[in-house]
Amino acid sequence: MLKQELSLKLQQKLSPQQIQLMKLVQLPTIAFEQRIKQEMEENPALEEGNELNDEFSENEDWENDEYNDDNTIDTSDINIDEYLSDDEIPNYKTYTNNYSDDDEERAIPYAQGISFLDYLENQLSMYRLDEEEFQIASFIIGNMDDDGYIRRDLQAIVDDLAFTQNIYTDKNEVENLLVNYIQKLDPVGVGARDLQECLKVQLENKSPQTESSELALDLITKSFESFTKKHYKRLMLKHDVTEEQLKEAISEIEKLNPKPGKSFAGNTKEVEHITPDFTIRIVEGELELTLNGRNVPELRVSNAYAEMLDTYKHTEKKSTEQKEAVLFVKQKLDAAKWFIEAVTQRRNTLMYTMQSIMEFQEEYFLTGDETKIKPMILKDIADRIGMDISTVSRVANSKYVNTPYGTFLIKDLFSESLTNEDGEEVSTREIKRILQDVIAEEDKKKPLTDEKLTEILKEKGYPIARRTIAKYREQLNIPVARLRKEI
């Protein structure tokens, strides 16, 4: 049986220009600069420059034609002025910011120092090792992570030496080189296979030895699990020491470095140069927003390519090869125009969105007080600027803002809200800040449990469930009460 139905579907399709714009909006500053360089390399009709062409009238209205897949081109439809007039677009439309020589902002250079592994190998050469022992020890060092640990199984290292270096050894020799040579290198503690061994090596190499350091070594060697769980009474009974003696021994352990690899001053692995996309300054009591565009060139459509169309238009006899060539030229010119407009729209979208965020959180940006951060979700900003939530998300998720109080991700300003006892909406960031302050002021001999923290915040006017307190505490990387205990 045949059945006929009439259905109506509403579909929204993004144009190539819109897709291109969304991709550009999502890019942070450095990636955006690279994208512009890539586009200029791929499209010869797009070039850097700001020269004006006075032969053509100013026209700021973009009327992009759809790509013509047919090889026939109607020359009457080609308006050369439409391409060449792009050069007369005011600079502020394609260039994000103008900078003078006395601007405060400067890129911070990072010196390239010796690597951590090279530093260890240089020390290794001071030992009297034969060539094969040195190669094995060097290979072991190469398996060290950024914290200075050897987390691989030693047998796996033995196997790798055989397969990759054609060096045949055994686990005992590898362990001997590790314990008696590598673990003696500076910083002390490198080459440990776990935290217990790392602390143990440092205590064994401590000079001069004291009663406290000897007790500390005993605790790490014989009672590491009880120590990590802070079972202090059990430790005092097992080691027959007073509370004061235990406290001094723990103080010795706290002075040790649990990640000796991080202490190397020349270790540049962790250096991360963040380039802020926005800068917010306070100028005479008012907030001033700028978009980072120091390395973004001014763009224009190539005169040479546009003139090719002009030449073709005035040619009487047009060959098939000429038609194919001019089709290619027109496509490149259209793509250049689209890209220039997308760059301009990206700037406007970023500035418009960040301006709204700045105004929404004006009190925070003027004071730096995190308790002044208002509850703010993506929809709040999207409604204010009349854009889609996804657009605001693209701006916030990967962009950094430089403020008088530090540089941070814009998305960190967004937070849900809770209602206090007075019926006022407060940011979850404010509640986390209060929670941090309460825990910082607690008696470390009797840390506050999540139940007690719940009661305290309720007394302060924030009726929050215990499981929510536990969730916020974990997000703040604060351990449970038992692990915060001190003697």
Side-chain angles (χ1 to χ4, degrees), residues 67-73 323 327 331:
Y67 281 151
N68 183 0
D69 294 329
D70 194 349
N71 283 337
T72 60
I73 300 176
K323 290 178 182 179
L327 175 62
Q331 288 175 342

Side-chain angles (χ1 to χ4, degrees), residues 357-481:
I357 293 172
M358 184 180 73
E359 291 171 356
F360 196 100
Q361 302 291 0
E362 182 178 14
E363 198 171 356
Y364 163 68
F365 285 118
L366 286 172
T367 63
D369 185 354
E370 288 196 4
T371 62
K372 302 293 184 183
I373 296 179
K374 298 178 183 178
M376 180 176 70
I377 59 176
L378 296 173
K379 188 175 184 300
D380 293 328
I381 302 302
D383 290 344
R384 285 167 69 99
I385 63 178
M387 292 185 182
D388 193 79
I389 290 177
S390 63
T391 302
V392 178
S393 176
R394 284 183 171 90
V395 174
N397 281 345
S398 58
K399 310 290 189 303
Y400 284 85
V401 58
N402 179 29
T403 75
Y405 323 107
T407 300
F408 49 82
L409 274 170
I410 297 170
K411 70 175 183 179
D412 291 343
L413 291 169
F414 289 83
S415 64
E416 297 291 340
S417 65
L418 290 174
T419 306
N420 62 17
E421 286 187 342
D422 297 327
E424 299 173 335
E425 283 194 342
V426 292
S427 169
T428 53
R429 285 175 63 100
E430 178 180 341
I431 296 170
K432 288 179 182 178
R433 172 62 63 185
I434 294 169
L435 182 62
Q436 277 183 310
D437 293 342
V438 170
I439 292 175
E441 295 171 1
E442 70 183 358
D443 181 359
K444 296 304 178 185
K445 291 186 177 181
K446 295 180 180 179
L448 300 169
T449 62
D450 289 345
E451 290 80 2
K452 188 61 179 176
L453 289 170
T454 303
E455 293 175 12
I456 293 174
L457 262 71
K458 187 174 182 180
E459 291 171 3
K460 291 180 176 289
Y462 303 96
I464 306 169
R466 188 202 62 77
R467 63 180 179 275
T468 306
I469 290 290
K471 182 179 75 172
Y472 290 168
R473 177 178 53 70
E474 290 170 2
Q475 289 174 350
L476 292 167
N477 293 319
I478 298 174
V480 295

